[in-house]
Amino acid sequence: MIRRTFTAWRSCQAYCLGIALVTVTGPAFADDLAAREAASRDVAGQLITRLGETLKKEMSTKGPESAINICRVKAPEIAGEISRANGWRVTRVSTRVRNPMLGMPDATERLVLSDFETRAGKGEKYSDMHYSEVVEEGGVHYYRFMKPIPTQPVCLSCHGDSEQIPEVVKNALDREYPLDQARGYRAGDLRGAVSIKQPMAIPLRSMAQGQ
Ligand code: HEC
């Protein structure tokens, strides 16, 4: 009985906290969103930078075949660590995925990716763009954040045109990703985005602890 009451109280606490955060429209709410945005920017920026740097290093020391594991294992691993530490969902999404299990965008992500491309077409730089919004999905409020991942020259030996991808890499990709759509990119194209989803019921303080 006590246990049941406690559980009910816990879920009410999470629920009420969520509602309070969303319905309070004062400076506290604005501060909360600003802090969520700052933390998300930081995490997304770090993920993109770390991935780029680690890839460059691995490519120059061990070659592109070995570097496959950076994009395949390391990137989802870092995203997973951040997700577990913060209670967020951190993923890389794209409209043309190599791994449909991890990279498929949902409806919001698809719209935002397309918006990033439209804005780039009008001259805006991917490095200056982000998306940030509180949404309600299935009765739950989430803070959502996305940052574009532009294609760099170093990405082309695995995401570029056929003649840019070394034979050994091509064979490995053909073998492991029969549904691969993530080729044919040029430097400067939008490769995808880091997408972060935070339940508003998880307060900011616990997010900061995982940083
Ligand atoms: C050595 C090969 C290789 C290089 C170089 C490479 N990638 Fe990848 N990339 C992969 C593989 C393999 C996957 C599939 C990962 C998985 O299984 O989840 C992938 C997946 C991705 C995804 C997730 C979406 C999807 O298509 O499944 C993004 C985003 C991405 N890469 C961006 C980049 C960027 C940006 C660069 C350059 C900075 C880059 N990659 C360089 C091999 C590579």
Side-chain angles (χ1 to χ4, degrees), residues 72 76 91-93 97 99-105:
R72 184 178 59 190
T91 46
R92 295 181 307 167
V93 292
V97 284
N99 180 356
M101 283 283 288
L102 282 181
M104 212 64 147

Side-chain angles (χ1 to χ4, degrees), residues 85-86 88 203-211:
N86 297 285
W88 299 354
L204 211 51
R205 192 148 52 90
S206 66
M207 296 200 296
Q209 283 167 357
Q211 295 295 301

Side-chain angles (χ1 to χ4, degrees), residues 40-170:
S40 305
R41 252 179 210 277
D42 198 35
V43 160
Q46 275 184 38
L47 189 60
I48 295 169
T49 314
R50 264 170 83 182
L51 174 68
E53 281 170 0
T54 319
L55 267 172
K56 270 180 216 149
K57 200 166 146 222
E58 188 81 2
M59 296 273 279
S60 60
T61 53
K62 299 195 184 148
E65 198 188 359
S66 160
I68 290 178
N69 271 343
I70 305 294
C71 226
R72 184 178 59 190
V73 181
K74 201 70 200 162
E77 200 177 279
I78 301 171
E81 271 168 27
I82 301 166
S83 302
R84 284 189 294 278
N86 297 285
W88 299 354
R89 197 206 60 168
V90 181
T91 46
R92 295 181 307 167
V93 292
S94 173
T95 46
R96 281 159 50 198
V97 284
R98 173 152 291 163
N99 180 356
M101 283 283 288
L102 282 181
M104 212 64 147
D106 66 15
T108 302
E109 287 161 341
R110 194 167 282 280
L111 278 175
V112 175
L113 284 165
S114 147
D115 182 56
F116 284 156
E117 278 181 325
T118 308
R119 285 161 67 182
K122 292 180 183 158
E124 225 178 303
K125 279 203 224 145
Y126 284 125
S127 53
D128 294 339
M129 291 182 210
H130 74 275
Y131 150 87
S132 160
E133 195 178 19
V134 176
V135 296
E136 191 194 324
E137 291 173 19
V140 179
H141 287 90
Y142 295 97
Y143 172 74
R144 301 197 65 156
F145 179 93
M146 284 171 68
K147 182 149 186 61
I149 306 176
T151 309
Q152 300 174 34
V154 67
C155 317
L156 300 179
S157 48
C158 293
H159 294 296
D161 287 329
S162 195
E163 61 274 14
Q164 292 171 299
I165 306 179
E167 211 56 39
V168 279
V169 173
K170 223 181 280 176

